[in-house]
Amino acid sequence: MTTRDVPSNDRARAGSDRNVHALHIDVAERGKMLALKGRHADALERYREALRMARAVQAPQLFARHYLHCVLESLEHMGSHDQAAALAGEAARAGATEAGAPESDAQTPTPFQRRDRAYLLERQGMNQLKAGDVSAARVTLVAALTLDEALPLTRVVLDWTARGLSVNASRLIEAQRKYGYFIVRRDAVDPARARDPQRFTAELLHG
């Protein structure tokens, strides 16, 4: 899930659906620019604001999920592994219904829901591993792989830990980069869209 999955804007004016979604997308892009500079605390503020704005306009669930992954990623970079693992785990447990399935279908998740929960469990497991809880990480990563077999990073890490190999931070980060675990990357961010709420509030007021 990336911002390429959401509609692009051509400076649509206030009142249009496109403009409504452009606002929270632009705030999230600003957060990503800050994250790339290592300013993760500031990035978290923007991501959370983007989440609030997306929910306020009842944006499709894809937006909220993407912003949540951005939050989790910054927490991980900050070393807040327990917090990231707890948040990812909570989201994964709620994942069966958050993607919009009727309550009666909660026990038979759609393929999208299964992938969504798998990605969240993968993040939870990686943070558990970085926090030093290898046993919990393995349980979580096995659960992720059960939901979605196409998780190469999870397979690699499970293989390493099964063989009793040491998985230090640098080795794990190298593997995460290799397998595209990180979604906030320079090649996936649009600097032209990165704006703070104050800037486009003024634009809406003054045109």
Side-chain angles (χ1 to χ4, degrees), residues 20-21 24 49-60 63-64 67:
V20 167
H21 292 309
H24 59 76
E49 176 64 11
L51 271 167
R52 185 196 66 76
M53 294 170 71
R55 288 166 178 160
V57 298
Q58 299 182 332
F63 288 105
Y67 301 156

Side-chain angles (χ1 to χ4, degrees), residues 72-84:
L72 293 170
E73 203 160 286
S74 274
L75 287 173
E76 184 171 342
H77 283 304
M78 292 170 68
S80 301
H81 301 305
D82 289 338
Q83 184 180 357

Side-chain angles (χ1 to χ4, degrees), residues 14 35 41 49 66 78 82 108 113 132-133 136 144 157-158 170-171 203:
E49 176 64 11
H66 182 68
M78 292 170 68
D82 289 338
T108 55
Q113 290 172 314
D133 195 342
V157 171
L158 283 173
S170 60
R171 185 179 190 185
E203 290 179 17

Side-chain angles (χ1 to χ4, degrees), residues 3 20 30 62 65 74 142-143 154 167 170-171 188 192 196 202:
T3 50
V20 167
R30 175 59 177 161
L62 179 64
R65 267 296 183 256
S74 274
V142 166
T154 289
V167 186
S170 60
R171 185 179 190 185
D196 278 319

